[in-house]
Amino acid sequence: NAGVTQTPKFQVLKTGQSMTLQCAQDMNHNSMYWYRQDPGMGLRLIYYSASEGTTDKGEVPNGYNVSRLNKREFSLRLESAAPSQTSVYFCASSETGVSYNEQFFGPGTRLTVL
Amino acid sequence: AQTVTQSQPEMSVQEAETVTLSCTYDTSESDYYLFWYKQPPSRQMILVIRQEAYKQQNATENRFSVNFQKAAKSFSLKISDSQLGDAAMYFCAYDSSGSARQLTFGSGTQLTVLP
């Protein structure tokens, strides 16, 4: 049971380049999330997917797109990277149908945009 | 929208001593959940403890316990008998029981454990 996996672990991009962050979970969870973590600001929600086939914007969606490829996989795409997107990105998943939203997190991707 | 405030960016504690991390939140809901997550240097987010708002009894997990004051909208984490492995960033998080099911995180408290 790997839980939530993310690739890559580290990435350096130049301004204007594009890339996709991959996330997969093996816990059969319906809901998946993408967060960014910046110093002094905690985790902020970028996008989430409550179930396969649906996606919704979170607090900071500008500059990002997502794809819920299937129940297991949820990718985050930066079409034209900007230095303001330098951050640590976390993917998470959770069950639906339970009373509380305990989220399980991946190990994170440290992204630097030059 | 809910907000979560952690007013202590950094805290330190002597090994074997007790430390309390503070968290306050703002909400108009009556039914919700609160979490404390730990993030060690490995960056992996780990759930420490969970509290249901409808329960008056404070949650405990081994050396970790909370002081939940619903009227004051306060949710502090107490770590007893602190160990070196407790050194980490700690995040308080609010879980709305509504359909959106989003977690709102505080800005975190960096805990240092001194030997």
Side-chain angles (χ1 to χ4, degrees):
Chain A
N1 233 5
V4 179
T5 57
Q6 292 182 235
T7 55
K9 286 189 167 47
F10 301 93
Q11 184 71 49
V12 179
L13 292 178
K14 294 182 179 177
T15 297
Q17 287 185 317
S18 62
M19 79 160 296
T20 299
L21 280 64
Q22 306 286 354
C23 173
Q25 52 92 9
D26 62 2
M27 295 173 282
N28 202 36
H29 287 167
N30 283 314
S31 298
M32 298 186 73
Y33 311 82
W34 276 106
Y35 293 92
R36 60 177 290 170
Q37 182 181 17
D38 301 296
M41 301 188 74
L43 277 75
R44 293 182 292 167
L45 185 65
I46 304 171
Y47 271 93
Y48 68 100
S49 171
S51 62
E52 187 178 353
T54 68
T55 60
D56 286 286
K57 295 178 180 179
E59 181 185 353
V60 288
N62 290 345
Y64 305 95
N65 285 302
V66 291
S67 295
R68 184 73 183 267
L69 304 171
N70 48 55
K71 191 172 185 179
R72 289 188 63 248
E73 299 172 286
F74 188 38
S75 63
L76 178 72
R77 183 160 179 84
L78 287 70
E79 291 291 351
S80 179
S84 60
Q85 294 178 304
T86 293
S87 188
V88 180
Y89 291 85
F90 287 95
C91 177
S93 69
S94 67
E95 286 187 24
T96 50
V98 296
S99 56
Y100 54 87
N101 187 16
E102 179 181 347
Q103 294 185 11
F104 296 81
F105 287 81
T109 295
R110 182 176 293 277
L111 175 66
T112 302
V113 183
L114 303 175
Chain B
Q2 291 80 23
T3 58
V4 178
T5 302
Q6 293 179 250
S7 59
Q8 306 153 316
E10 298 177 346
M11 293 278 287
S12 63
V13 62
Q14 209 72 36
E15 198 175 3
E17 298 293 311
T18 296
V19 65
T20 298
L21 309 184
S22 300
C23 173
T24 58
Y25 57 95
D26 187 25
T27 184
S28 58
E29 298 176 330
S30 59
D31 190 18
Y32 49 88
Y33 295 83
L34 296 162
F35 299 92
W36 279 98
Y37 277 88
K38 170 185 178 181
Q39 185 182 44
S42 67
R43 292 204 309 250
Q44 183 69 52
M45 295 283 286
I46 303 164
L47 180 66
V48 174
I49 200 164
R50 178 183 75 244
Q51 175 76 44
E52 293 90 340
Y54 65 85
K55 287 188 176 179
Q56 292 188 345
Q57 187 174 6
N58 289 325
T60 62
E61 288 287 345
N62 301 314
R63 297 182 295 107
F64 298 86
S65 62
V66 300
N67 183 6
F68 173 51
Q69 304 284 336
K70 190 173 184 180
K73 297 179 183 174
S74 170
F75 181 59
S76 60
L77 175 69
K78 186 171 83 170
I79 306 174
S80 304
D81 185 26
S82 297
Q83 300 175 0
L84 294 177
D86 295 334
M89 180 74 85
Y90 287 81
F91 292 98
C92 178
Y94 175 97
D95 172 24
S96 168
S97 60
S99 59
R101 305 316 306 271
Q102 298 180 31
L103 288 184
T104 302
F105 286 86
S107 55
T109 296
Q110 182 67 53
L111 179 66
T112 300
V113 181
L114 304 169

